Amino acid sequence: MNKYDSSFFFRITVLIKKLFLIDFGCAVLAGLLELAFPLAVSKFINELLPGQDWPLILLACVVLLSIYALNTVLNYVVTYWGHMLGINIETNMREKMFAHLQKLSFRFFDNRKTGHLNGHLTNDLNDIGEVPHYGSEDVFIAVMTLNWLSLEEYIAVFIRYNTVTLNQGS
């Protein structure tokens, strides 16, 4: 195995593709709901409450509560199954690495402390196992949030510019 062979990591990740897709999909959906929820609450406060249409207000409350409950379930899936993903990847990698370590010659171990080797192997694989769960989700959610905020800012500037232009034309 080459020291810089990244395909080793991706081969292991492919074995657990379904779990990764469930975890990542729930993270994306939870991120979208977390972005949309404040907009829905704002619309609720600014438009529904002043109108005092109580059946519609109660329906909106139920919908908002349902969205919040769905977001809670999605975050649970991301937390629990995301950690299971990391544990499965770490376990597969640990099996392969320890099998490789056992195939090495005795001469390899003459100048190395086996406790340090096992400690590094265990700790480093734990960190590597967390990357697919946290790394991919965090990068995607950060990019999605920045794009959303940029879009909101663009719309706000567009509306402000058009409002000023219309007021000057009158």
Side-chain angles (χ1 to χ4, degrees):
M1 180 174 64
N2 185 354
K3 181 178 177 182
Y4 302 106
D5 186 14
S6 61
S7 66
F8 171 73
F9 176 73
F10 292 110
R11 279 194 313 265
I12 288 175
T13 306
V14 169
L15 297 174
I16 310 166
K17 185 169 42 173
K18 279 186 185 176
L19 194 54
F20 176 76
L21 291 175
I22 289 170
D23 178 44
F24 192 74
C26 287
V28 169
L29 194 54
L32 289 172
L33 288 177
E34 287 173 9
L35 289 173
F37 193 78
L39 296 174
V41 170
S42 174
K43 190 169 184 79
F44 175 79
I45 290 172
N46 294 334
E47 294 179 16
L48 288 181
L49 286 179
Q52 295 184 356
D53 184 6
W54 293 108
L56 187 59
I57 289 173
L58 290 176
L59 178 66
C61 287
V62 169
V63 169
L64 286 174
L65 184 63
S66 301
I67 290 171
Y68 195 77
L70 176 63
N71 196 26
T72 303
V73 170
L74 291 172
N75 281 322
Y76 171 78
V77 169
V78 167
T79 302
Y80 181 77
W81 290 107
H83 281 93
M84 290 303 294
L85 171 72
I87 288 169
N88 288 340
I89 290 173
E90 182 183 345
T91 301
N92 288 342
M93 289 177 74
R94 192 173 283 170
E95 286 173 0
K96 290 184 184 259
M97 296 302 271
F98 279 118
H100 177 73
L101 203 60
Q102 289 177 343
K103 291 178 185 174
L104 295 173
S105 68
F106 289 119
R107 180 168 285 174
F108 174 80
F109 296 101
D110 286 343
N111 296 325
R112 290 174 182 83
K113 297 178 181 176
T114 55
H116 286 262
L117 288 172
N118 285 329
H120 280 293
L121 197 62
T122 303
N123 190 33
D124 294 348
L125 285 178
N126 182 29
D127 294 339
I128 290 170
E130 294 294 324
V131 168
H133 170 54
Y134 288 116
S136 58
E137 291 168 10
D138 289 345
V139 166
F140 185 80
I141 290 172
V143 166
M144 189 171 59
T145 304
L146 286 174
N147 286 336
W148 181 261
L149 292 175
S150 298
L151 179 66
E152 280 183 344
E153 187 64 29
Y154 175 76
I155 291 170
V157 168
F158 181 76
I159 290 171
R160 209 173 299 131
Y161 174 76
N162 285 333
T163 304
V164 169
T165 304
L166 290 175
N167 288 338
Q168 288 176 352
S170 303

